[in-house]
Amino acid sequence: MRNKNDELSSGKRRRKNKWINGGIILLFIVLIGSVIWIGTNGWSMKKAVDSIQNESEPTADFQEIDEPADSDSTDMTGRSEENTSPSDVPSEELLRETDEPLIEEDPKEEEVREEESGGEAVPPSNPTGYIKGQKLPKEPKLIKGVLLANKQYPLPEDYAPGESEEAREAFDELAASAVTSGINLQAFSTYRSYDYQVTLYNRYVERDGQEAADRYSARPGYSEHQTGLAFDIGEVNHEKHWASNSFGDTEAAKWLAANAHQYGFILRYPEGKEDKTGYMHESWHYRYVGKDKAEQIFKRNITLEEYLGVR
């Protein structure tokens, strides 16, 4: 027979083994549950991470657009400098033209232009430079009833109308009105013949060089003074300001700028419009175009070239 101590030891071992086995089973169950949970949730987490990554990554199209060009080898359009010909690059004149608001023309006005040009559409103009090899025409150019003389539209060499009587009468009215404001105006230079312009232009070229002279003096045949409609205006007893930039700061010049259009005159070469007229600003140079046209040009704050649709 087993003694009592053996029975007690045997009972303790059984209880111990029972707890161990139970613990192993419980641990096994926990491990299996963990594997199942990790497998299920891990797949969901992977899908979530992949989804976030796919949303945050730029597409191939975006990368191609956003990628900066190599500044050393390409211009602003992305074209290689080596493969860009001069004709591919917009000229400075074209860039200026596109930054300016386009002036829509009345179709009826376009018909008038064609009629006045002998049935042929008036070609687009670039008044900032002379046309190389251009010969003087046989007839002066009329557009919208306006006689035009600039670097693109010259006058015949023998065109010699003298000072316009209509323009002189308008100036006399203008000067009389200025007197009431205490300003005594005088037209110190109006009509100039072709031959006189030859002498004047050559003198300026000899003094300042042709490039500089072309900014403020017209070549023979291209001078607006030859039309008899251009009036250089100054103030009596203030001759030091005649044909000078300083005239623009005088009260006489300010009065002229504000009132000349009422008598049919426009400031022919406004400040900041050299790219339109071809000449630097001249605060003293006025051109007679008639009251209606002068009013329109003044109110729209444009040049004669813009009004006539030539640039």
Side-chain angles (χ1 to χ4, degrees):
M1 284 180 69
R2 294 178 181 178
N3 58 29
K4 190 174 181 178
N5 290 332
D6 291 338
E7 291 178 354
L8 291 173
S9 297
S10 178
K12 289 180 179 179
R13 285 195 297 272
R14 284 196 297 272
R15 286 194 296 272
K16 183 176 180 181
N17 291 335
K18 182 179 179 180
W19 281 106
I20 292 173
N21 291 334
I24 292 173
I25 292 172
L26 180 61
L27 179 61
F28 182 73
I29 292 172
V30 170
L31 288 174
I32 292 175
S34 298
V35 170
I36 294 174
W37 184 89
I38 292 172
T40 301
N41 291 280
W43 174 252
S44 298
M45 290 178 65
K46 183 177 184 304
K47 289 178 64 180
V49 171
D50 290 344
S51 177
I52 294 173
Q53 288 178 339
N54 290 334
E55 291 178 0
S56 61
E57 289 178 358
T59 62
D61 291 340
F62 178 81
Q63 288 177 325
E64 183 177 354
I65 295 173
D66 192 53
E67 185 177 357
D70 185 355
S71 60
D72 293 333
S73 61
T74 59
D75 61 12
M76 293 182 67
T77 63
R79 294 172 298 190
S80 171
E81 291 179 352
E82 295 179 353
N83 297 326
T84 303
S85 64
S87 60
D88 292 330
V89 182
S91 68
E92 184 177 357
E93 292 302 324
L94 179 59
L95 293 175
R96 278 198 289 263
E97 288 174 4
T98 55
D99 286 338
E100 290 291 329
L102 295 177
I103 300 173
E104 297 182 359
E105 291 190 5
D106 189 334
K108 294 182 179 179
E109 293 180 343
E110 183 64 27
E111 293 177 2
V112 172
R113 289 178 59 190
E114 292 186 5
E115 290 177 1
E116 293 170 343
S117 60
E120 298 181 359
V122 177
S125 172
N126 172 22
T128 59
Y130 293 100
I131 299 175
K132 187 176 181 179
Q134 184 181 33
K135 296 181 179 180
L136 299 183
K138 295 182 179 180
E139 298 292 335
K141 176 63 67 176
L142 286 174
I143 303 177
K144 294 183 182 179
V146 177
L147 176 60
L148 178 62
N150 64 12
K151 290 182 177 180
Q152 295 285 301
Y153 294 96
L155 299 167
E157 182 176 344
D158 59 356
Y159 186 74
E163 182 185 278
S164 167
E165 293 182 5
E166 183 179 353
R168 170 54 69 174
E169 291 177 3
F171 174 77
D172 289 343
E173 293 180 14
L174 170 67
S177 179
V179 169
T180 63
S181 297
I183 298 172
N184 190 2
L185 298 176
Q186 180 172 326
F188 59 85
S189 180
T190 59
Y191 170 74
R192 297 177 194 162
S193 67
Y194 175 91
D195 292 336
Y196 181 78
Q197 192 66 26
V198 170
T199 302
L200 189 64
Y201 177 76
N202 288 342
R203 184 193 309 164
Y204 291 143
V205 170
E206 184 178 354
R207 185 186 68 185
D208 300 324
Q210 186 174 46
E211 183 176 353
D214 281 340
R215 291 189 61 201
Y216 64 83
S217 180
R219 296 179 184 180
Y222 295 81
S223 174
E224 193 173 55
H225 281 281
Q226 192 180 341
T227 67
L229 297 166
F231 279 50
D232 286 344
I233 303 173
E235 187 175 10
V236 177
N237 297 325
H238 294 273
E239 287 77 6
K240 65 179 181 179
H241 297 303
W242 288 11
S244 171
N245 291 332
S246 61
F247 178 68
D249 297 325
T250 66
E251 292 302 316
K254 295 175 183 178
W255 187 93
L256 261 178
N259 296 281
H261 66 281
Q262 299 178 33
Y263 302 90
F265 286 91
I266 60 170
L267 179 62
R268 186 63 179 89
Y269 306 123
E271 189 171 8
K273 293 286 189 174
E274 185 173 345
D275 63 320
K276 304 298 181 185
T277 65
Y279 295 100
M280 61 189 294
H281 172 51
E282 292 185 353
S283 58
W284 61 90
H285 185 118
Y286 280 79
R287 161 68 193 271
Y288 181 76
V289 294
K291 292 182 180 180
D292 292 340
K293 294 180 176 63
E295 184 78 15
Q296 294 180 50
I297 293 172
F298 177 80
K299 286 183 176 180
R300 294 166 65 183
N301 191 29
I302 58 176
T303 63
L304 184 60
E305 278 75 16
E306 291 171 295
Y307 174 75
L308 297 178
V310 296
R311 299 189 179 188

